[in-house]
């Protein structure tokens, strides 16, 4: 089974090589073989006697992260969808994409996506699942931005990336929580220990994070906004990713975890209401679109909402209908995207306002579109599979006996059938709009960039196969029912689910009445759409999530740049203030919290008169450096401080230090004089009074802080000093009486070695600075 | 800056520089047992050389003392580092110093320590560094003003 997942990745490595022969043979032919092989491999498992099976391959055993693949009914459904529609889309793309396109890139991304999608639906290990999950986000980002010279493509790709990766990361959070709680990384084992998770105090958080991941990926309200913008991708990509596979990854996740989560009321409330809101909003917004792919994008959103709502219901009928609709939606939506691609390819535009009357020019395409759109609308005809799942959906919304009646749940339960009908009416309207707007009416050939004619046969093959699927499932629903759908539904529900699907239940069957209501109201609304079109000007304006997204991204950028600019203003003075203030606050806070400030005067030596005299001289000199306006004066006065220091060294009996300090001070003063001789006169910088006050506070505070630290350090000695060792052993071990020097060259010679290295580097740096020719404009 | 006949400076420099160099040598050798050592010795030597530069000017100094001080730095660093490596040859940790007493012909009983070699490295490095910095900066001004 691992080869089935790895095959697309391996093939993706070879695509750049076979792409070299594209003049003779279109790269797409090589790609088409892969999903066909995978499809055949997995199709063998179909049948009534299907048993789940697991294959395990080591990856990181020490972290319990292994390539564990679990094939049950749900995975099988998805695997067959991914490989089957993948094959059709790959074949379709051969005729859709010209040889002048970057085919190598396209098919590499395509195969990466297919492989990671297979990985998502087959993985049993949560971390492997997450890896593949992010891989789908990445590869779909690349596919959406395939025509990266278009601004809209880049915008759409970025938007989908930001939203899906946001969801992906929350999913990771949920998966980590569950792994920690159950101490296993296997999904199946997690589900078998579901009480641990359901009773945990983190359960609301886990549910929220998991659903956030699923909702963003599956374009549920309010995260649906990336899907319409992802329509900038080439049409095969839209057909594959944004109708059949990637957008169903979130559905898959919810379905996969529903044996665990569906016993929670919150799961019912959130998933059902988000699903039903998405259904209504998506179908309402689809009617407003003027781009064929825009209509289909919102239609996908709304259909996904419907599936999500059914998974939220969690009853046997609902789960069965959800799984059934996943299959049905993939067939008719895939074919419709291909139809939209053909129309675009043959007329040069997707704008429905310019299109019309194409039936005579594109008769086969129009026929395919009839089946697709009518099945999507759920028109009660025995050869349209969309009707069955829609009727089951109505049925499910009416029969929620398992769910308690209390409070909000009760209200939601009562409202669900009405909302379902409401959403379905608009579904009907946009389906009719899609078909009649494109193919009926008067052809306006002067508006079209190309003269329309029927598409090449190769382009028609894939939609024909999909529409045949629509019709066959419509005519013989039992064919896919027992060997296929029932297994998937059982995997979602956690117990055996099977349901007979009939076309005819009698006139008084409530779901049929609902369907007929949809039909009647839908027709009326479609015919009168010009009259109520102004409604659209009022409602999406406020509720447009795009505005929220754009505003959010915009504001994040402005505010973060404003924050950065607020403290990173390039003034070194400010950075020094910030650094010192931070040190000041942290040190004071630490001292205050730990009671670190102690004064212990027992160990203080008596002051002598010369020391006091030298100290006072130094203080006076230090203060005058601040007050002087002349650089040279400041340097000379600073020299006084230095010589005073060496005096102190003498007084404290450190002859080596005194000598060194004396010479170093002299050299420094001389160097300062050498350098500053060339600098312009010191100008007093005019600073605001508040800044100067702040400077004063910080410098006084810092001085006070250092004083307090020094006093505390002196007052609290925790260990005996080690200096007695040096005094005793200086002559014995080092052979010298000058303890300072013995420490410098013998006991602690390494420090000295690197200090002279520092000096050497400084000398080299000065030489380099002065001698190397700089840029002309610097001088 | 006009050149004046600074004969007094030059004459005294000859004497003082000699004393200074001698004093710096003393400081260097005395370091192990009395105040002094490579660092101070090096600084003092540099002071003497700087004094000579001030008295005689760059051109004549380059003839008298044809040393490129930039080369002195790595030599000093190398000596200091190699004394450290020396310890390794005798299966001792890096920078192990040792000392012994020898009976030398003129000086009598004398202590010779490897630490002195290390100090020699320090000494040379300090002389090199100080002179490089001062000469570089001073020359820079000279180029502009044509001294």
């Amino acid at each position: 089974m691992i080869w089935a997942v790895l095959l697309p990745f391996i093939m993706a490595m070879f695509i750049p090589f076979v792409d070299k022969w594209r003049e003779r043979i279109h790269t797409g032919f090589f790609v088409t073989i892969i999903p066909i092989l995978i499809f055949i491999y997995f199709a063998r498992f179909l049948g009534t006697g299907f048993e789940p099976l697991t294959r395990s391959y080591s990856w990181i055993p020490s972290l319990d992260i292994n390539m564990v693949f679990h094939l049950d009914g749900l995975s099988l459904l998805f695997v067959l969808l991914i490989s089957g529609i993948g094959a059709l889309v790959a074949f379709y793309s051969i005729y859709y994409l010209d040889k002048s396109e970057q085919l190598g890139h396209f098919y590499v991304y395509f195969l990466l996506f297919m492989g990671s999608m297979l990985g998502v639906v087959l993985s049993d290990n949560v971390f492997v699942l997450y890896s593949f999950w992010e891989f789908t986000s990445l590869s779909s980002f690349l596919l959406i931005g395939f025509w990266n010279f278009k601004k809209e493509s880049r915008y759409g790709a970025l938007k989908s990336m930001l939203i899906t990766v946001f969801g992906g990361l929350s999913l990771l959070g949920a998966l980590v929580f569950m792994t920690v709680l159950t101490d296993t990384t296997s999904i199946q084992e997690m589900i078998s220990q579901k009480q641990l998770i359901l009773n945990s105090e983190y359960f609301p958080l886990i549910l929220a994070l998991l659903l956030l991941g699923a909702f963003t990926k599956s374009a549920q309200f309010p995260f649906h906004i990336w899907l319409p913008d992802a329509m900038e991708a080439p049409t095969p990509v839209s057909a594959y990713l944004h109708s059949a596979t990637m957008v169903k990854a979130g559905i898959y996740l919810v379905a996969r975890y529903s044996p665990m989560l569906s016993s929670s009321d919150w799961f019912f409330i959130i998933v059902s209401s988000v699903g039903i809101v998405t259904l209504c909003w998506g179908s309402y917004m689809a009617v407003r679109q003027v781009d064929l792919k825009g209509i289909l994008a919102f239609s996908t959103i709304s259909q996904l909402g419907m599936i999500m709502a059914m998974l939220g219901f969690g009853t046997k009928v609902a789960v069965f209908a959800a799984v059934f609709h996943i299959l049905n939606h993939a067939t008719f939506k895939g074919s419709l995207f291909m139809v939209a691609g053909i129309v675009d390819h043959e007329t040069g535009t997707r704008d429905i306002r310019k299109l019309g009357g194409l039936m005579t020019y594109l008769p086969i395409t129009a026929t395919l579109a009839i089946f697709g759109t009518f099945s999507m609308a759920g028109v009660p005809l025995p050869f349209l599979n969309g009707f069955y799942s829609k009727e089951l959906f109505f049925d499910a919304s009416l029969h929620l006996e398992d769910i308690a009646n209390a409070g909000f749940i009760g209200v939601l339960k009562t409202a669900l059938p009405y909302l379902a009908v409401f959403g379905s009416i608009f579904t009907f309207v946009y389906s009719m709009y899609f078909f009649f707007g494109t193919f009926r009416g008067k052809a306006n050939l002067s508006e079209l960039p190309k003269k329309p004619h029927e598409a090449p046969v190769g382009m028609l093959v894939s939609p024909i196969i999909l529409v045949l699927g629509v019709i066959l499932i419509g005519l013989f629903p039992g064919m896919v029912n027992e060997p296929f759908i029932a297994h998937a539904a059982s995997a979602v529900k956690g117990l055996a689910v099977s349901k007979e699907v009939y076309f005819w239940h009698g006139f008084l069957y409530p779901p049929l009445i609902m369907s007929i209501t949809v039909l009647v109201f839908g027709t009326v609304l479609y015919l009168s759409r010009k009259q109520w079109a102004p409604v659209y000007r009022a409602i999406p304006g406020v509720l447009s999530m795009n505005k929220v997204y754009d505003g959010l991204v915009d504001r994040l950028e402005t505010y973060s740049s404003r924050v950065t600019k607020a403290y990173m203003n390039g003034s070194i003075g400010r950075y020094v203030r910030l650094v010192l203030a931070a040190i000041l606050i942290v040190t004071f806070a630490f001292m205050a919290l730990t009671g670190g400030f102690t004064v212990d005067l027992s160990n203080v030596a008596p002051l002598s008169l010369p020391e006091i005299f030298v100290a006072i001289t130094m203080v006076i000199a230090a203060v005058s450096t601040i007050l002087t306006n002349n650089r040279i004066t400041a340097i000379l006065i600073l020299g006084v401080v230095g010589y005073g220091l060496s005096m102190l060294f003498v007084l404290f009996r450190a002859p080596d230090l005194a000598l060194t300090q004396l010479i170093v001070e002299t050299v420094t003063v001389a160097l300062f004089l050498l350098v500053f001789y060339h600098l312009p006169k010191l100008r007093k910088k005019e600073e605001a009074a508040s800044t100067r006050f702040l400077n004063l506070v910080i410098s006084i505070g810092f001085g006070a802080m250092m004083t307090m630290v020094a006093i505390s350090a002196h007052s609290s000695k925790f260990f005996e000093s080690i200096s007695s060792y040096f005094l005793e052993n200086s002559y014995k071990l080092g052979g010298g009486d000058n303890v300072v020097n013995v420490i410098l060259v013998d006991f602690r010679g390494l420090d000295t070695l690197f200090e002279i290295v520092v000096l050497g580097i400084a000398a080299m740096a000065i030489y380099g600075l002065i001698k190397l020719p700089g840029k002309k404009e610097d001088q | 800056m006009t050149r004046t006949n600074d004969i007094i400076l030059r004459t005294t420099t000859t004497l003082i520089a000699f004393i200074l160099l001698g004093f710096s040598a003393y400081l260097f050798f005395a370091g192990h047992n009395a105040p002094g050592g490579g660092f101070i010795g090096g600084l003092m030597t540099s002071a003497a050389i700087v004094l000579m530069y001030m008295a005689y000017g760059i051109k004549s100094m380059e003839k008298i003392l044809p040393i490129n001080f930039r080369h002195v730095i790595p030599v000093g660093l190398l000596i200091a580092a190699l004394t450290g490596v020396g310890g390794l040859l005798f299966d001792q940790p890096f920078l192990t110093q040792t000392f012994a007493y020898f009976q030398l012909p003129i000086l009598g009983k004398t202590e010779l320590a490897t630490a002195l070699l290390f100090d020699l490295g320090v000494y040379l490095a300090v002389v090199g560094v100080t002179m490089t910095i001062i000469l570089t900066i001073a020359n820079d001004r000279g180029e502009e003003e044509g001294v």
Side-chain angles (χ1 to χ4, degrees):
Chain A
M1 208 185 293
I2 192 168
W3 290 109
V5 178
L6 288 186
L7 192 63
F9 288 105
I10 294 167
M11 188 60 194
M13 283 193 265
F14 289 102
I15 287 297
F17 299 106
V18 299
D19 192 38
K20 295 245 160 69
W21 313 324
R22 66 158 85 174
E23 283 310 319
R24 262 183 286 163
I25 181 162
H26 195 285
T27 321
F29 284 108
F30 298 101
V31 178
T32 314
I33 302 166
I34 307 295
I36 292 176
L37 287 176
I38 298 172
F39 186 83
I40 293 170
Y41 173 75
F42 283 106
R44 295 180 309 141
F45 294 105
L46 280 177
T48 39
F50 172 74
E51 284 294 321
L53 73 157
T54 309
R55 293 275 182 280
S56 169
Y57 309 88
S58 289
W59 184 20
I60 317 175
S62 56
L63 295 177
D64 198 13
I65 298 176
N66 291 307
M67 291 279 181
V68 182
F69 296 115
H70 180 78
L71 184 77
D72 60 4
L74 185 66
S75 305
L76 188 62
L77 168 70
F78 273 94
V79 164
L80 289 178
L81 275 183
I82 292 161
S83 53
I85 298 196
L88 297 176
V89 166
F91 190 70
Y92 175 80
S93 69
I94 295 172
Y95 297 91
Y96 185 84
L97 288 176
D98 196 68
K99 280 181 184 167
S100 59
E101 300 272 7
Q102 290 184 306
L103 293 180
H105 293 206
F106 179 81
Y107 287 113
V108 167
Y109 304 157
F110 186 84
L111 284 171
L112 288 182
F113 175 78
M114 188 191 298
S116 36
M117 203 59 216
L118 288 171
V120 166
V121 298
L122 283 172
S123 299
D124 185 50
N125 188 295
V126 287
F127 295 108
V128 176
L129 171 87
Y130 173 72
S131 311
F132 283 121
W133 183 276
E134 289 298 12
F135 225 137
T136 61
S137 297
L138 268 177
S139 45
S140 86
F141 167 77
L142 291 168
L143 283 168
I144 295 168
F146 178 63
W147 286 317
N148 53 25
F149 47 85
K150 286 201 293 186
K151 191 166 164 267
E152 295 82 10
S153 291
R154 297 198 300 269
Y155 174 77
L158 182 66
K159 193 176 190 179
S160 74
M161 183 73 159
L162 285 176
I163 294 177
T164 52
V165 168
F166 163 72
L169 288 174
S170 8
L171 171 67
L172 178 65
L175 296 179
V176 168
F177 261 116
M178 291 196 282
T179 306
V180 171
L181 283 177
T182 57
D183 201 23
T184 171
T185 52
S186 156
I187 297 175
Q188 296 304 320
E189 283 173 38
M190 272 179 195
I191 291 172
S192 65
Q193 305 181 40
K194 62 178 182 179
Q195 288 311 322
L196 273 178
I197 292 171
L198 288 173
N199 298 332
S200 136
E201 52 178 322
Y202 298 112
F203 177 71
L205 194 61
I206 293 172
L207 185 69
L209 290 174
L210 191 81
L211 290 182
L212 210 53
F215 289 167
T216 49
K217 198 79 166 179
S218 280
Q220 298 295 300
F221 189 87
F223 306 109
H224 63 275
I225 49 170
W226 64 267
L227 191 57
D229 284 304
M231 289 301 130
E232 291 302 329
T235 303
V237 173
S238 312
Y240 190 41
L241 273 69
H242 308 126
S243 70
T245 52
M246 187 172 100
V247 287
K248 294 210 173 101
I251 302 272
Y252 167 80
L253 191 73
V254 172
R256 174 55 76 207
Y257 271 104
S258 65
M260 173 194 286
L261 303 173
S262 58
S263 38
S264 148
D265 281 347
W266 281 106
F267 177 80
F268 169 74
I269 294 174
I270 298 172
V271 178
S272 310
S273 47
V274 167
I276 208 90
V277 166
T278 312
L279 164 65
C280 296
W281 183 252
S283 57
Y284 169 74
M285 288 295 285
V287 184
R288 183 183 176 230
Q289 305 302 313
V290 290
D291 178 3
L292 289 185
K293 278 170 86 177
I295 301 174
L296 292 178
F298 276 103
S299 144
T300 305
I301 292 168
S302 122
Q303 304 277 331
L304 292 169
M306 177 175 147
I307 300 172
M308 197 62 98
M310 288 192 275
L311 288 174
F313 297 168
T315 56
K316 277 188 182 182
V317 181
V319 166
F320 184 84
V323 175
F324 194 27
H325 197 67
I326 290 172
L327 178 66
N328 294 343
H329 176 248
T331 53
F332 66 69
K333 190 52 65 65
S335 69
L336 284 178
F337 266 111
M338 290 175 187
V339 163
I342 291 172
V343 170
D344 186 15
H345 204 261
E346 300 306 323
T347 63
T349 183
R350 296 196 312 251
D351 192 331
I352 202 162
R353 289 168 300 188
K354 294 183 188 163
L355 296 168
L358 291 178
M359 197 166 233
T360 45
Y361 298 96
L362 303 166
I364 305 176
T365 315
T367 318
L368 297 174
I370 289 185
F371 287 108
T373 47
F374 279 52
S375 178
M376 180 158 76
V379 175
L381 288 172
F383 49 86
L384 296 175
N385 60 2
F387 167 68
Y388 293 94
S389 36
K390 182 132 299 175
E391 199 184 42
L392 284 169
F393 171 54
F394 289 145
D395 191 18
S397 71
L398 289 171
H399 293 94
L400 292 167
E401 294 93 355
D402 298 5
I403 315 291
N405 268 318
F408 179 70
I409 301 181
V411 179
L412 187 62
K413 259 176 74 173
T414 329
L416 278 175
Y418 296 100
L419 286 170
V421 170
F422 175 80
S424 301
I425 291 173
F426 279 96
T427 306
F428 185 86
V429 174
Y430 72 68
S431 301
M432 295 306 116
Y433 175 53
F434 182 90
F435 177 72
F436 289 105
T438 314
F439 295 102
R440 294 293 309 193
K442 213 165 125 345
N444 199 349
L445 292 183
S446 59
E447 289 261 335
L448 297 177
K450 282 192 206 166
K451 190 171 165 10
H453 52 79
E454 189 55 83
V457 181
M459 224 170 174
L460 288 169
V461 169
S462 301
I464 286 174
I465 293 175
L466 284 172
V467 166
L468 278 179
V470 169
I471 296 168
L472 283 176
I473 298 172
L475 288 175
F476 313 107
M479 185 183 69
V480 291
N481 185 350
E482 278 296 315
F484 191 24
I485 302 296
H487 292 307
S490 309
V492 176
K493 194 65 187 138
L495 43 93
V497 175
S498 81
K499 170 113 182 118
E500 287 294 314
V501 185
Y502 303 108
F503 174 69
W504 190 247
H505 294 269
F507 270 120
L508 290 176
Y509 186 56
L512 183 66
I513 298 169
M514 286 160 89
S515 285
I516 291 168
T517 319
V518 168
L519 201 61
V520 172
F521 274 94
T523 316
V524 171
L525 277 183
Y526 173 68
L527 293 175
S528 65
R529 67 188 186 284
K530 291 251 159 32
Q531 275 73 42
W532 52 275
V535 176
Y536 280 107
R537 280 205 289 279
I539 290 185
V542 195
L543 288 171
S544 168
M545 289 300 143
N546 278 320
K547 273 188 197 153
V548 175
Y549 166 85
D550 287 338
L552 205 66
V553 171
D554 235 39
R555 227 153 281 171
L556 260 176
E557 276 177 15
T558 21
Y559 283 129
S560 55
S561 85
R562 207 177 289 170
V563 167
T564 312
K565 275 182 191 145
Y567 71 94
M568 293 283 241
N569 66 347
S571 144
I572 295 189
R574 160 167 300 187
Y575 299 157
V576 171
R577 273 195 289 280
L578 282 176
V579 169
L580 292 186
I583 296 174
L584 197 62
I585 291 165
V586 171
T587 316
F588 270 135
F590 187 75
M591 258 201 243
L593 288 176
T594 57
F597 184 60
T598 46
V599 182
D600 176 16
L601 294 176
S602 60
N603 200 17
V604 175
L607 276 177
S608 71
L609 208 58
E611 287 162 17
I612 296 173
F613 174 72
V614 174
I616 289 173
T617 319
M618 284 170 75
V619 167
I620 293 172
V623 172
S624 7
T625 23
I626 306 172
L627 299 178
T628 180
N629 269 345
N630 188 313
R631 274 210 180 91
I632 307 290
T633 324
I635 293 161
L636 291 176
I637 303 175
L638 209 58
V640 174
V641 179
Y643 290 129
L645 189 62
S646 70
M647 274 306 287
L648 283 184
F649 284 142
V650 172
L651 292 174
F652 292 138
R653 287 181 297 152
D656 285 279
L657 286 185
L659 268 173
T660 315
Q661 171 66 23
L662 202 65
I663 302 177
V664 167
E665 190 59 38
T666 315
V667 172
T668 341
V669 169
L671 276 179
F672 273 142
L673 289 176
L674 267 177
V675 174
F676 281 22
Y677 181 79
H678 301 283
L679 290 180
K681 279 243 158 53
L682 193 66
R683 260 179 316 187
K684 250 304 186 261
K685 219 173 100 193
E686 289 305 323
E687 274 176 327
S690 58
T691 318
R692 291 175 63 179
F693 180 70
L694 194 67
N695 284 349
L696 191 69
V697 170
I698 289 177
S699 25
I700 291 177
F702 203 77
M705 181 201 86
M706 288 313 292
T707 314
M708 284 167 69
V709 168
I711 293 173
S712 305
H714 181 261
S715 306
S716 43
K717 271 206 178 93
F718 297 112
F719 308 105
E720 273 303 301
S721 164
I722 58 164
S723 52
S724 55
Y725 171 84
F726 291 127
L727 289 174
E728 280 166 23
N729 291 305
S730 158
Y731 191 77
K732 229 189 293 170
L733 297 176
D737 281 330
N738 183 347
V739 184
V740 175
N741 207 340
V742 171
I743 291 175
L744 281 179
V745 299
D746 197 335
F747 291 130
R748 307 286 306 268
L750 196 65
D751 296 355
T752 314
L753 182 61
F754 284 101
E755 272 155 28
I756 58 177
V757 171
V758 167
L759 283 178
I761 290 170
M764 287 302 146
I766 289 175
Y767 184 79
L769 267 179
I770 292 175
K771 292 291 179 186
L772 289 182
K775 284 181 193 154
K776 281 287 170 215
E777 57 264 29
D778 291 352
Q779 289 172 353
Chain B
M1 213 190 277
T2 50
R3 273 251 169 256
T4 50
N5 191 358
D6 38 7
I7 185 153
I8 299 178
L9 176 65
R10 290 190 179 191
T11 318
T12 45
T13 299
T14 321
L15 189 65
I16 294 174
F18 184 71
I19 298 171
L20 274 180
L21 285 172
F23 182 56
S24 70
Y26 163 76
L27 279 177
F28 170 68
F29 284 110
H32 224 49
N33 291 307
F39 198 84
I40 303 162
L43 281 175
M44 198 60 87
T45 308
S46 315
I49 300 173
V50 168
L51 185 66
M52 295 199 293
Y53 264 94
M54 283 163 70
Y56 295 106
I58 291 167
K59 279 200 183 127
S60 20
M61 274 311 287
E62 275 168 357
K63 269 186 221 145
I64 304 167
L65 206 63
I67 297 174
N68 187 342
F69 289 102
R70 267 176 291 136
H71 295 170
V72 178
I73 306 173
V75 170
L77 293 181
L78 208 61
I79 292 176
L82 282 179
T83 48
V85 176
L88 295 178
L89 294 180
F90 296 94
D91 252 358
Q92 298 290 319
F94 184 64
L95 274 177
T96 308
Q97 310 285 15
T98 180
F99 64 95
Y101 296 92
F102 296 98
Q103 204 68 39
L104 290 182
I106 305 167
L107 300 167
K109 186 189 171 194
T110 313
E111 178 202 356
L112 285 182
T114 52
L116 195 70
L117 274 176
F118 185 81
D119 238 5
L120 181 68
V122 176
Y123 173 85
L124 289 175
V126 169
V127 171
V129 166
T130 325
M131 290 314 298
T132 306
I133 294 175
I134 290 178
L135 287 181
T136 312
I137 294 176
N139 271 346
D140 190 45
R141 188 182 62 168
E143 272 168 31
E144 277 171 31
E145 294 183 3
V147 172

